[in-house]
Amino acid sequence: MKKLILILVFGIISCSPDDNNVPDLDCDNSTSEFQTLYQNMLTSGHTDKVTYDTEIHEYTFELSTTEEVCEIGYQSQSGVATTPYVIEIVDNSTTTTIYSGSHTFSDTATSYVTPIAPISLQAGTSYTIKRIQTNWGANIGNTIGRMATNNSMGFPYTNRTMTITGSNFHQNGGPAIDFGVPYIDIIFK
């Protein structure tokens, strides 16, 4: 009987919760470097618009600290709300795509997806994040997206650890270089 009790006690002590069901408390999309930077642009005279019908919306950025991406946020257009977008992150120093994922997003608000594998972004390296929509049906207008823009863009835009150095809207239209900053949110762990 003592052995049975001892086995039960050790069994209970050695059990640990399944971490796969625990949300990542370090990943908070309620605020981010990008969101603050974007809001600062609006406060300083940029306009928040949903426009520019090209298949690729992208911006180039650098970080002053090494960060791990835990979520990516975007808002779909209603005409393609069930059609996945491709999200890519490219390391510009090597032209290597370090992340590519196919994701659907809400068409009523910014929603977030979690990359399958960790994405580590190194301090001082130039990256480009892209949202790509090539399955827009018969209406190229389904490729528009939210952006901050004005008549005189003043790159770079910086907030604490993130600096956006440029943007491009291209493929099946454009290019429109440095026309605005597309709202593609990046959440760091």
Side-chain angles (χ1 to χ4, degrees):
M1 182 71 162
K2 285 183 179 181
K3 286 184 180 182
L4 180 59
I5 292 173
L6 193 56
I7 290 171
L8 286 172
V9 168
F10 283 125
I12 292 170
I13 291 172
S14 66
C15 287
S16 64
D18 182 3
D19 289 339
N20 293 332
N21 295 328
V22 177
D24 188 350
L25 300 177
D26 293 332
C27 195
D28 178 10
N29 63 32
S30 65
T31 187
S32 71
E33 287 293 314
F34 176 82
Q35 290 171 30
T36 302
L37 189 151
Y38 193 90
Q39 189 58 47
N40 289 346
M41 290 177 71
L42 299 181
T43 302
S44 69
H46 292 73
T47 304
D48 193 15
K49 290 184 176 181
V50 178
T51 189
Y52 220 82
D53 53 357
T54 58
E55 293 176 338
I56 300 175
H57 292 191
E58 65 184 47
Y59 64 85
T60 301
F61 66 97
E62 292 181 10
L63 301 170
S64 61
T65 59
T66 296
E67 300 287 349
E68 183 178 317
V69 178
C70 61
E71 289 184 330
I72 299 167
Y74 192 70
Q75 182 176 344
S76 176
Q77 290 303 301
S78 59
V80 290
T82 59
T83 305
Y85 287 80
V86 173
I87 301 294
E88 289 184 352
I89 300 176
V90 176
D91 178 332
N92 295 320
S93 66
T94 62
T95 66
T96 302
T97 300
I98 60 171
Y99 178 76
S100 182
S102 183
H103 306 286
T104 56
F105 297 93
S106 168
D107 65 336
T108 59
T110 302
S111 60
Y112 291 84
V113 296
T114 302
I116 294 171
I119 306 167
S120 181
L121 302 179
Q122 302 303 307
T125 299
S126 174
Y127 296 97
T128 299
I129 186 164
K130 305 176 181 189
R131 79 87 177 123
I132 305 165
Q133 182 53 271
T134 58
N135 299 318
W136 41 267
N139 183 359
I140 188 70
N142 287 329
T143 63
I144 63 174
R146 182 178 177 199
M147 73 174 71
T149 187
N150 72 12
N151 292 332
S152 179
M153 296 297 290
F155 288 95
Y157 295 98
T158 301
N159 179 62
R160 294 185 353 200
T161 63
M162 181 180 214
T163 299
I164 297 178
T165 58
S167 69
N168 196 0
F169 300 81
H170 60 101
Q171 192 165 297
N172 209 359
I177 298 170
D178 296 342
F179 177 71
V181 173
Y183 197 99
I184 310 167
D185 197 5
I186 306 175
I187 307 298
F188 302 123
K189 196 168 199 175

